[in-house]
Amino acid sequence: MRDLMQIAADANKAKRTVAKLGTNDKNRGLLAIADALEAHADEIIAANQTDIEAGRASGLSEGLIDRLMLDKPRIKGIAEGCRQVAALPDPIGETLWMRRTPSGLEIGQKRVPMGVIGIIYEARPNVTVDAAALCFKAGSACILRGGKEAFHSSLCLTGLMRAALAAEGLPENAINLVEDTTRESANRMMRLNGSLDVLIPRGGAGLIQSVVQNATVPVIETGTGNCHVYVDASADLEMAKSILVNAKCQRPSVCNAAESLLVHRDVAEAFLPMAAAGLAPSGVKIHGCPRTMEILGEAVLPATDEDYGREYLGFEISCKVVDSLDEAIDHINRFNTGHSECIVTRDYASSQRFLDEVDAAAVYANASTRFTDGFEFGFGAEIGISTQKLHARGPMGLTALTSTKFVVYGNGQVR
C-alpha cells in the first residue's frame, strides 16, 4: 500500500504526462475503463457486497446503503457515464478569447488542466469512477479518498481503471486511491500544499464543513441539498403532485431530492390531500405547520425550524402553507442550502420572479429537482454539485475542472 506522500509524488509525476495527452488518447483510456467495468461487473458486485454487509452490521441507514449499493444496471450506468465523458468536447486548449492591445500585443485566454485534483467523499463508490473519468478527460491526475464504508468497492474499481489505462499504454498513476481511510489521512490530504492543486469534498454536511474549515489547499465546496417544491396558487395540481412525488420518492437519499414542500394557501385544501396520497405509498412522514396539520390531521408531525432546515435523505418531508409567493421565496432563501429549488405554476410572471429571486445553483419552473445532475445536464458524469459562487456553481462537469492561463504574443514590445 502506497502512503499518501508517495501517492502525491506519483500523481504529480503523472500529471505532466496526462496534461500532454491528446483527445484521442484520453478518449481511448475512458472507453477502455468503461469496457473493463462492464466486463468485471461480477467482481465489482462481490466487493460491493462486502461493503454492504459491513455497513448493515455497523448500523448504516437504508438511505446510505442505497447510496453504497452497486448492481449491474448501476455499473452499466457508471460505464455509460465514462463513454459520455469520452464523447464530450475536450476543453483543454480551448481559446476563450483573443484580442489586440494598443501596444500591439495579442493577448488571449485558454483552458488548461488543474494539475492534481483531490476528492474526499463518503459511501458513494460511483464517485470513484465519475471523478476519475472527469479528471482524466480534463487533463489532470486525481487522488481519491473515499470513506471506509465503500472501501472494497472503491479499491476494486480503482484497480480496474488503473489496469485499463496501463493496458492502453497510458499512465496508471493518473488515478490514485488513498487506501488509508482513517481521519488522519483525510487531515493530511487537506494540507497537501504544493502537491494538490485543488480539493473537492463530496458527501454530507459534516464532511464538507470539515474540509472547508480545516483545509489549507484550495477547496471547491459542494453542498448538501435542502431542496424545495413550491406549489403556487395557479399551479396545475396534478402536475404538482407528479413533480413532488418524483422529487421526494424516486431516490430520496440523494442531494437533489426534495426535502420541503411549500403550498400557497389558495390551493392548500385541494392540494395537500393529493400530496399526502401521492407520498403515502412510499411511507413518507410529513412534518407540517399548524395549517398543514389542520388540513391533513393527526398523521402530520409538528414542524420546527430545525425540520425546515433539515436534509432528511429519506422518506420524510417538511411542509408549510404560505400566504404568498413573497413568503415562499423568503422561506426558501432562509432555509435552503443553495442547491435546487422548484416552483409549479401556470403564471409566467410568478415563475420569472421565482427564477430570478431564489438564491440557488439550479432553479426550476415546472420540473423536478431530480434533474440537477451532470448526466442529465449533458455533462456526462459529474464531480459534484457546487453550491458556492466562486469558480464553479451547480453540476460540475469538465470545464469546472479546468483552469485558465493568459497567452501573450508580441514582436519585441517592452514597457
Side-chain angles (χ1 to χ4, degrees), residues 54-384:
R56 286 209 166 100
S58 65
L60 279 186
S61 70
E62 284 306 308
L64 289 177
I65 292 292
D66 177 64
R67 286 189 172 201
L68 177 59
M69 190 270 290
L70 294 176
D71 55 18
K72 287 192 176 180
R74 287 191 181 182
I75 293 169
K76 183 177 178 63
I78 293 169
E80 181 58 27
C82 291
R83 296 187 180 105
Q84 285 206 358
V85 173
L88 292 171
D90 191 342
I92 301 304
E94 175 190 2
T95 298
L96 302 179
W97 55 265
M98 178 74 71
R99 65 174 64 103
R100 179 184 290 272
T101 68
S103 62
L105 296 174
E106 294 281 353
I107 301 179
Q109 190 178 30
K110 66 186 292 187
R111 291 196 188 279
V112 297
M114 285 275 194
V116 178
I117 300 171
I119 299 98
I120 294 182
Y121 53 103
E122 295 174 327
R124 294 289 293 272
N126 63 296
V127 176
T128 301
V129 181
D130 292 349
L134 284 166
C135 291
F136 188 72
K137 182 65 178 269
S140 289
C142 66
I143 300 176
L144 309 172
R145 196 277 187 188
K148 65 180 185 296
E149 299 85 357
F151 172 72
H152 295 92
S153 306
S154 295
L155 186 63
C156 180
L157 291 166
T158 305
L160 292 170
M161 291 190 290
R162 286 170 58 89
L165 292 183
E168 294 293 322
L170 299 167
E172 64 179 359
N173 285 333
I175 300 173
N176 304 275
L177 180 71
V178 178
E179 296 183 32
D180 179 358
T181 59
T182 64
R183 179 169 295 184
E184 176 58 27
S185 72
N187 290 336
R188 290 177 64 205
M189 195 168 169
M190 295 178 204
R191 293 171 172 80
L192 277 179
N193 297 75
S195 297
L196 202 59
D197 294 288
V198 66
L199 181 60
I200 303 170
R202 182 168 175 179
L207 169 68
I208 292 166
Q209 287 307 305
S210 176
V211 173
V212 169
Q213 292 169 11
N214 296 305
T216 58
V217 297
V219 173
I220 297 177
E221 181 178 354
T222 62
T224 54
N226 183 19
C227 306
H228 296 72
V229 173
Y230 166 56
V231 180
D232 194 32
S234 66
D236 178 324
L237 298 188
E238 285 295 337
M239 176 192 290
K241 177 183 174 182
S242 175
I243 288 172
L244 171 66
V245 171
N246 176 261
K248 176 70 261 181
C249 302
Q250 194 236 3
R251 198 173 176 196
S253 63
V254 293
C255 60
N256 57 22
E259 304 288 20
S260 190
L261 169 66
L262 302 180
V263 183
H264 194 282
R265 67 181 181 186
D266 291 352
V267 294
E269 289 194 12
F271 182 70
L272 283 175
M274 294 173 62
L279 298 173
S282 297
V284 177
K285 295 180 181 177
I286 300 174
H287 302 257
C289 68
R291 283 189 284 184
T292 302
M293 298 175 72
E294 182 180 337
I295 293 169
L296 293 181
E298 296 179 357
V300 177
L301 302 170
T304 65
D305 280 359
E306 183 179 356
D307 293 311
Y308 292 133
R310 185 176 170 193
E311 184 185 30
Y312 291 101
L313 298 176
F315 290 108
E316 296 183 75
I317 194 168
S318 64
C319 181
K320 185 177 184 182
V321 177
V322 295
D323 291 328
S324 64
L325 173 62
D326 288 310
E327 185 182 351
I329 292 171
D330 288 344
H331 179 95
I332 291 171
N333 285 339
R334 176 184 174 189
F335 289 105
N336 80 344
T337 53
H339 197 294
S340 302
E341 308 297 342
C342 163
I343 182 174
V344 185
T345 185
R346 284 182 284 203
D347 185 273
Y348 177 77
S350 294
S351 69
Q352 290 307 112
R353 278 200 57 207
F354 186 93
L355 299 179
D356 288 343
E357 296 178 28
V358 168
D359 187 9
V363 285
Y364 291 82
N366 300 321
S368 170
T369 58
R370 286 284 289 116
F371 285 100
T372 306
D373 176 271
F375 190 92
E376 295 291 341
F377 278 24
F379 301 160
E382 70 180 25
I383 204 75

